[in-house]
Amino acid sequence: MDGPDALAEPVPRGSAPLVLRGREVGRDGRAVRPVVMAVLNRTTDSFYAPARLPDDAAALAAAERAYEDGAELLDVGGVRAGHGPPVDEAEEIRRVVPFVAAVRRAVPDLLVSVDTWRAGVARAAIDVGADLINDTWAGHDPALVEVAGAAGVGVVCSHTGGATPRTDPYRVEYHPPAGVDADGRDGLLADVVSTLRAAAERAVACGVPRESVLVDPTHDFGKNTWHSLHLLRRTGVLAGLGFPLLMALSRKDFVGETLDLPPEERLEGTLGATAVAAWLGARVFRAHDVVATRRVLDLVAAVRDEAPPAVALRGLA
């Protein structure tokens, strides 16, 4: 576009800020940077091998390193999202809860999230200091958000298209609302928006502070690769929901299928998707690769004029 209108092209509006335990996450004075949520799985079968940390000492060292590398949140999981050996609630608690307590003691400034769909696991984790419950399976246990609300901690509201825990999508279809003249693929977007809005408002009604409710379109869960790519390009709509927007893109299948690459070779694709989502206003990024993600997000924050460059000497000194 030529002419004066081209000069007025706005920077996309960011999603709402995230506040946990009264702390605005990502803010440093006037600077506001997207937040890195580091992934740490207390499992032996996660899809990305370097994230498997069942050993206590190795896991705690990884948590400390994630904080030093720029993560402000640590997302601890005890059950693989996909198919695998059964893990009951008692075993999930054994894997996760003592470790959350250890992180609280060792790295008190690192906020801790627990990736679970079970209210009992959430309650036990909150009792030892978890700050956020990442309900990846979209309220499969409806009591989970009530547990988070009673404790006043944060919660992630997700979208799975009705999929149940530890299942994979198969020929999932979403249809645009009747009478809506839009991209036909926006049937998915409409479903995600309505699901996330309803879940977020229920969380608030249950006592979770509004600024501590994250919404996550949950790429790959109940979606094929075309669906996940469309949600990425429509990030701006999701950022406008009025809640902090979480993007869990790291090394996921939609990245791998787009580039025809296995999990261990998906870093560049993940970072490309991360830059797009950050530019379009996403606030929090769940990531396996903390240093690389932190650098990409800092660059995007500077381009969006939300944070200054770390050094600015060229042409000035």
Side-chain angles (χ1 to χ4, degrees), residues 34 186 256:
D186 279 340

Side-chain angles (χ1 to χ4, degrees), residues 24-157:
E24 184 176 340
V25 190
R27 177 174 290 279
D28 180 11
R30 293 185 178 180
V32 181
R33 294 178 175 85
V35 175
V36 177
M37 172 193 274
V39 179
L40 196 154
N41 292 319
R42 303 281 288 151
T43 62
T44 59
D45 59 347
S46 296
F47 82 98
Y48 181 53
R52 302 170 190 165
L53 291 162
D55 178 77
D56 291 343
L60 189 58
E64 293 170 342
R65 186 166 57 252
Y67 179 67
E68 292 167 0
D69 288 343
E72 292 177 275
L73 268 166
L74 182 73
D75 193 41
V76 181
V79 184
R80 176 179 176 157
H83 296 291
V87 179
D88 64 19
E89 182 171 304
E91 173 60 15
E92 187 180 357
I93 288 173
R94 186 196 69 77
R95 293 178 178 186
V96 169
V97 173
F99 178 70
V100 170
V103 173
R104 282 268 66 92
R105 293 190 297 269
V107 198
D109 289 335
L110 179 61
L111 294 163
V112 179
S113 166
V114 171
D115 181 350
T116 186
W117 74 87
R118 291 168 166 148
V121 177
R123 184 179 295 107
I126 291 167
D127 286 346
V128 298
D131 305 288
L132 175 70
I133 302 301
N134 184 8
D135 182 11
T136 310
W137 288 101
H140 178 75
D141 182 345
L144 185 147
V145 70
E146 297 168 5
V147 169
V153 303
V155 72
V156 177
C157 299

Side-chain angles (χ1 to χ4, degrees), residues 36-39 65-66 69-71 287-295:
V36 177
M37 172 193 274
V39 179
R65 186 166 57 252
D69 288 343
H288 296 95
D289 306 278
V290 174
V291 171
T293 303
R294 181 72 274 158
R295 289 173 179 170

Side-chain angles (χ1 to χ4, degrees), residues 202-215:
R202 178 170 183 251
V204 173
C206 287
V208 181
R210 176 173 289 270
E211 63 274 15
S212 301
V213 178
L214 292 98
V215 291

Side-chain angles (χ1 to χ4, degrees), residues 208-293:
V208 181
R210 176 173 289 270
E211 63 274 15
S212 301
V213 178
L214 292 98
V215 291
D216 175 9
T218 325
H219 293 75
D220 281 1
F221 285 53
K223 304 165 187 73
N224 61 34
T225 288
W226 294 107
H227 290 144
S228 290
L229 288 169
H230 192 60
L231 285 175
L232 180 60
R233 73 174 60 94
R234 301 289 274 157
T235 296
V237 174
L238 303 172
L241 279 170
F243 297 91
L245 175 60
L246 167 66
M247 286 282 177
L249 309 171
S250 187
R251 297 183 182 266
K252 279 195 167 178
D253 282 351
F254 86 94
V255 174
E257 290 191 357
T258 299
L259 302 175
D260 193 17
L261 293 171
E264 60 270 18
E265 296 182 32
R266 297 174 185 174
L267 176 58
E268 298 91 342
T270 295
L271 297 178
T274 295
V276 170
W279 171 252
L280 293 175
R283 179 71 57 184
V284 181
F285 291 82
R286 188 175 183 271
H288 296 95
D289 306 278
V290 174
V291 171
T293 303

Side-chain angles (χ1 to χ4, degrees), residues 135-195:
D135 182 11
T136 310
W137 288 101
H140 178 75
D141 182 345
L144 185 147
V145 70
E146 297 168 5
V147 169
V153 303
V155 72
V156 177
C157 299
S158 59
H159 174 277
T160 65
T164 55
R166 311 198 71 188
T167 61
D168 292 328
Y170 180 72
R171 298 191 180 279
V172 185
E173 294 184 1
Y174 298 91
H175 303 285
V180 174
D181 182 17
D183 188 321
R185 294 169 294 187
D186 279 340
L188 165 67
L189 182 67
D191 196 88
V192 170
V193 166
S194 62
T195 298

